Amino acid sequence: MRTVQVELGSSSYPIYIGAGAVKVLPGVLAELTDWRQVVVVTDPNVARWHLGALHAALPGEPVVVQINPGEASKSLETVARLYDELAAARIGRLDVLIGLGGGVVGDVAGFVAGTWHRGMRLVQVPTTLEAALDASVGGKTAINHPSGKNLIGVFHQPVAVVIDLAFLQTLGERELRAGLAESVKHALIADATGADCSEDFLTWHERQVERILARDAQVLEELTARSCAIKAAVVAQDERESGLRAILNFGHTVGHALERLLEYELRHGECVALGMIVACELSVGRNWLEREAAERLRCLLSRLGLPMSVPRAVRKQDVVAACQMDKKVRAGRVHFILLRGIGRPVCAGDVTSDELERALAWIQASD
Ligand SMILES: NC(=O)c1ccc[n+]([C@@H]2O[C@H](COP(=O)([O-])OP(=O)(O)OC[C@H]3O[C@@H](n4cnc5c(N)ncnc54)[C@H](O)[C@@H]3O)[C@@H](O)[C@H]2O)c1
Ligand SMILES: [Zn+2]
């Protein structure tokens, strides 16, 4: 088992990573004084496979609340129901809420923990690769508003993140592959974080593709630990996204636009993979990145089973317009994270619609 520390002064916390990592939970809870009750928020898909193992690791009897799987649960209705359950169980600020599930459960559990009694203790136990590498680390929590995704949220750091890699074994193939897009993203920005070497982590991915897809325990542990260390380093330097943290949005401007336009037909990570291809093509177009580097990324994403083009015709103008609606628009300009070489992300606020349309041609459906 490995431990990665998220350094945030008095809010620092460990990420425990390994098969069987839930066994650390009694120790985590023992260090938190004065709690009376543990509440577990999960969904039926996860509960079916993994609630038993979590339960067995916990001292005493937790209150378990299940929410429906899927993005629709990131709603005020779900949150209101959870508040009712917490009130009924007389849960206070010092009690502990555990989010057991993918990013949806993690975001809902995190938002509820961050707002109940102005912030109660939270332990994230992510069960998808996406949640393990990204959503559970860094303290961003959010639910959706009908007018947009993740519009209602708070920053609330967990007291610990426990990534039990055994839980990833039941994950669908597509979910696993989608999560890998985030670890490739972390490799591409690693140099700028000081936590790892981009070239080294990228080459590691290229060498380990087969073992990653076969869910080899040791390989998954290394992938998760290195990826979390990169995210942790970014969060430690810029907790509230006033600067460096924006590099985590590499591939996400176009990624989010595609997610919406395709009405969530593609997974988040699949859209991020396509977004990274576009960001690389924008970078090549500016002579910032060598063509071979962009080809190398495409080749790796393709070997990891991620899409190379959108599954159906989407008008380029619609993608451009959707990018302009992104939350990250500042002073009317879309900000893209581009690469000035592998490991060298830069924020570009002057990408023109023409430039973007040319880059989008690389991921157009071939019909
Ligand atoms: N807060 C952040 O920083 C952050 C970062 C990235 C993503 N997110 C959010 O995360 C969400 C996406 O998360 P996701 O990709 O994990 O999807 P998800 O939470 O919807 O999970 C995908 C599916 O897998 C099932 N599942 C989860 N774990 C399983 C397991 N071990 N075995 C079998 N089935 C399992 C779930 O029930 C669900 O049906 C989005 O809402 C996104 O906005 C948040
Ligand atoms: Zn993402």
Side-chain angles (χ1 to χ4, degrees), residues 43-46 48-50 68-71 74 100-107 124 126-142 144 149-150 166-172 175 178-179 182 231 245 252 256 259 267-269:
D43 77 29
N45 296 339
V46 177
R48 175 172 156 235
W49 296 106
H50 307 299
N68 290 330
E71 190 69 25
K74 284 178 51 170
L100 172 72
V104 166
V105 165
D107 272 3
Q124 292 285 20
T127 62
T128 63
L129 196 59
E130 170 71 39
L133 305 185
D134 198 354
S136 66
V137 177
K140 270 194 186 181
T141 77
N144 303 329
K149 196 170 144 71
N150 294 335
F167 291 179
L168 298 185
Q169 295 296 336
T170 57
L171 200 58
E175 255 77 32
E182 302 285 0
K231 171 122 193 211
R245 193 160 175 166
H252 280 61
H256 284 146
E259 256 185 296
R267 304 285 190 274
H268 171 75

